[in-house]
PDB file of all heavy atoms in Angstrom:
ATOM      1  N   ILE A  40       6.364  -3.844   6.639  1.00  0.00           N
ATOM      2  CA  ILE A  40       6.776  -4.466   5.392  1.00  0.00           C
ATOM      3  C   ILE A  40       8.291  -4.639   5.426  1.00  0.00           C
ATOM      4  O   ILE A  40       9.036  -3.667   5.513  1.00  0.00           O
ATOM      5  CB  ILE A  40       6.355  -3.578   4.177  1.00  0.00           C
ATOM      6  CG1 ILE A  40       4.812  -3.396   4.184  1.00  0.00           C
ATOM      7  CG2 ILE A  40       6.852  -4.204   2.892  1.00  0.00           C
ATOM      8  CD1 ILE A  40       4.318  -2.374   3.196  1.00  0.00           C
ATOM      9  N   ARG A  41       8.721  -5.901   5.393  1.00  0.00           N
ATOM     10  CA  ARG A  41      10.160  -6.232   5.408  1.00  0.00           C
ATOM     11  C   ARG A  41      10.570  -6.669   3.988  1.00  0.00           C
ATOM     12  O   ARG A  41      10.119  -7.712   3.504  1.00  0.00           O
ATOM     13  CB  ARG A  41      10.421  -7.347   6.402  1.00  0.00           C
ATOM     14  CG  ARG A  41      10.066  -6.999   7.826  1.00  0.00           C
ATOM     15  CD  ARG A  41      10.315  -8.162   8.743  1.00  0.00           C
ATOM     16  NE  ARG A  41       9.841  -7.856  10.084  1.00  0.00           N
ATOM     17  CZ  ARG A  41       9.714  -8.753  11.027  1.00  0.00           C
ATOM     18  NH1 ARG A  41       9.983 -10.020  10.795  1.00  0.00           N
ATOM     19  NH2 ARG A  41       9.269  -8.396  12.226  1.00  0.00           N
ATOM     20  N   LEU A  42      11.421  -5.895   3.383  1.00  0.00           N
ATOM     21  CA  LEU A  42      11.892  -6.165   2.044  1.00  0.00           C
ATOM     22  C   LEU A  42      12.990  -7.201   2.034  1.00  0.00           C
ATOM     23  O   LEU A  42      13.846  -7.201   2.941  1.00  0.00           O
ATOM     24  CB  LEU A  42      12.328  -4.875   1.375  1.00  0.00           C
ATOM     25  CG  LEU A  42      11.198  -3.821   1.332  1.00  0.00           C
ATOM     26  CD1 LEU A  42      11.728  -2.466   1.003  1.00  0.00           C
ATOM     27  CD2 LEU A  42      10.124  -4.219   0.378  1.00  0.00           C
ATOM     28  N   GLU A  43      12.989  -8.075   1.035  1.00  0.00           N
ATOM     29  CA  GLU A  43      13.926  -9.179   1.010  1.00  0.00           C
ATOM     30  C   GLU A  43      15.064  -9.086  -0.012  1.00  0.00           C
ATOM     31  O   GLU A  43      16.135  -9.599   0.220  1.00  0.00           O
ATOM     32  CB  GLU A  43      13.163 -10.483   0.789  1.00  0.00           C
ATOM     33  CG  GLU A  43      12.196 -10.744   1.908  1.00  0.00           C
ATOM     34  CD  GLU A  43      11.231 -11.881   1.654  1.00  0.00           C
ATOM     35  OE1 GLU A  43      11.167 -12.392   0.514  1.00  0.00           O
ATOM     36  OE2 GLU A  43      10.506 -12.252   2.600  1.00  0.00           O
ATOM     37  N   ASN A  44      14.872  -8.441  -1.100  1.00  0.00           N
ATOM     38  CA  ASN A  44      15.897  -8.385  -2.134  1.00  0.00           C
ATOM     39  C   ASN A  44      15.908  -7.015  -2.833  1.00  0.00           C
ATOM     40  O   ASN A  44      15.990  -6.934  -4.043  1.00  0.00           O
ATOM     41  CB  ASN A  44      15.701  -9.495  -3.167  1.00  0.00           C
ATOM     42  CG  ASN A  44      14.363  -9.362  -3.885  1.00  0.00           C
ATOM     43  OD1 ASN A  44      13.392  -8.854  -3.353  1.00  0.00           O
ATOM     44  ND2 ASN A  44      14.314  -9.822  -5.130  1.00  0.00           N
ATOM     45  N   LEU A  45      15.872  -5.968  -2.048  1.00  0.00           N
ATOM     46  CA  LEU A  45      15.779  -4.622  -2.590  1.00  0.00           C
ATOM     47  C   LEU A  45      17.020  -4.267  -3.383  1.00  0.00           C
ATOM     48  O   LEU A  45      18.140  -4.454  -2.953  1.00  0.00           O
ATOM     49  CB  LEU A  45      15.616  -3.607  -1.429  1.00  0.00           C
ATOM     50  CG  LEU A  45      15.473  -2.150  -1.802  1.00  0.00           C
ATOM     51  CD1 LEU A  45      14.204  -1.938  -2.622  1.00  0.00           C
ATOM     52  CD2 LEU A  45      15.440  -1.314  -0.531  1.00  0.00           C
ATOM     53  N   SER A  46      16.782  -3.753  -4.579  1.00  0.00           N
ATOM     54  CA  SER A  46      17.874  -3.349  -5.473  1.00  0.00           C
ATOM     55  C   SER A  46      18.673  -2.206  -4.849  1.00  0.00           C
ATOM     56  O   SER A  46      18.104  -1.257  -4.294  1.00  0.00           O
ATOM     57  CB  SER A  46      17.307  -2.865  -6.787  1.00  0.00           C
ATOM     58  OG  SER A  46      18.278  -2.218  -7.568  1.00  0.00           O
ATOM     59  N   PRO A  47      19.998  -2.255  -4.936  1.00  0.00           N
ATOM     60  CA  PRO A  47      20.820  -1.148  -4.433  1.00  0.00           C
ATOM     61  C   PRO A  47      20.576   0.143  -5.195  1.00  0.00           C
ATOM     62  O   PRO A  47      20.929   1.224  -4.737  1.00  0.00           O
ATOM     63  CB  PRO A  47      22.258  -1.640  -4.579  1.00  0.00           C
ATOM     64  CG  PRO A  47      22.194  -2.860  -5.403  1.00  0.00           C
ATOM     65  CD  PRO A  47      20.797  -3.362  -5.428  1.00  0.00           C
ATOM     66  N   SER A  48      19.959   0.052  -6.368  1.00  0.00           N
ATOM     67  CA  SER A  48      19.641   1.244  -7.160  1.00  0.00           C
ATOM     68  C   SER A  48      18.360   1.946  -6.741  1.00  0.00           C
ATOM     69  O   SER A  48      18.059   3.029  -7.208  1.00  0.00           O
ATOM     70  CB  SER A  48      19.512   0.893  -8.645  1.00  0.00           C
ATOM     71  OG  SER A  48      20.719   0.321  -9.105  1.00  0.00           O
ATOM     72  N   ALA A  49      17.586   1.319  -5.845  1.00  0.00           N
ATOM     73  CA  ALA A  49      16.326   1.906  -5.403  1.00  0.00           C
ATOM     74  C   ALA A  49      16.577   3.143  -4.544  1.00  0.00           C
ATOM     75  O   ALA A  49      17.385   3.137  -3.658  1.00  0.00           O
ATOM     76  CB  ALA A  49      15.541   0.877  -4.605  1.00  0.00           C
ATOM     77  N   LYS A  50      15.831   4.201  -4.870  1.00  0.00           N
ATOM     78  CA  LYS A  50      15.902   5.458  -4.123  1.00  0.00           C
ATOM     79  C   LYS A  50      14.697   5.597  -3.187  1.00  0.00           C
ATOM     80  O   LYS A  50      14.828   6.134  -2.111  1.00  0.00           O
ATOM     81  CB  LYS A  50      15.911   6.638  -5.065  1.00  0.00           C
ATOM     82  CG  LYS A  50      17.066   6.645  -6.072  1.00  0.00           C
ATOM     83  CD  LYS A  50      18.248   7.373  -5.506  1.00  0.00           C
ATOM     84  CE  LYS A  50      19.348   7.547  -6.523  1.00  0.00           C
ATOM     85  NZ  LYS A  50      20.205   6.394  -6.714  1.00  0.00           N
ATOM     86  N   THR A  51      13.524   5.136  -3.662  1.00  0.00           N
ATOM     87  CA  THR A  51      12.296   5.290  -2.879  1.00  0.00           C
ATOM     88  C   THR A  51      11.459   4.028  -3.024  1.00  0.00           C
ATOM     89  O   THR A  51      11.636   3.206  -3.931  1.00  0.00           O
ATOM     90  CB  THR A  51      11.458   6.486  -3.339  1.00  0.00           C
ATOM     91  OG1 THR A  51      11.063   6.305  -4.688  1.00  0.00           O
ATOM     92  CG2 THR A  51      12.225   7.783  -3.164  1.00  0.00           C
ATOM     93  N   LEU A  52      10.475   3.922  -2.101  1.00  0.00           N
ATOM     94  CA  LEU A  52       9.513   2.838  -2.108  1.00  0.00           C
ATOM     95  C   LEU A  52       8.115   3.411  -2.202  1.00  0.00           C
ATOM     96  O   LEU A  52       7.890   4.580  -1.807  1.00  0.00           O
ATOM     97  CB  LEU A  52       9.640   2.020  -0.828  1.00  0.00           C
ATOM     98  CG  LEU A  52      11.012   1.412  -0.525  1.00  0.00           C
ATOM     99  CD1 LEU A  52      11.046   0.822   0.871  1.00  0.00           C
ATOM    100  CD2 LEU A  52      11.344   0.333  -1.581  1.00  0.00           C
TER     101      LEU A  52
END
Side-chain angles (χ1 to χ4, degrees):
I40 300 170
R41 298 178 186 167
L42 301 166
E43 297 171 351
N44 62 330
L45 182 62
S46 168
S48 301
K50 302 269 187 279
T51 62
L52 303 170

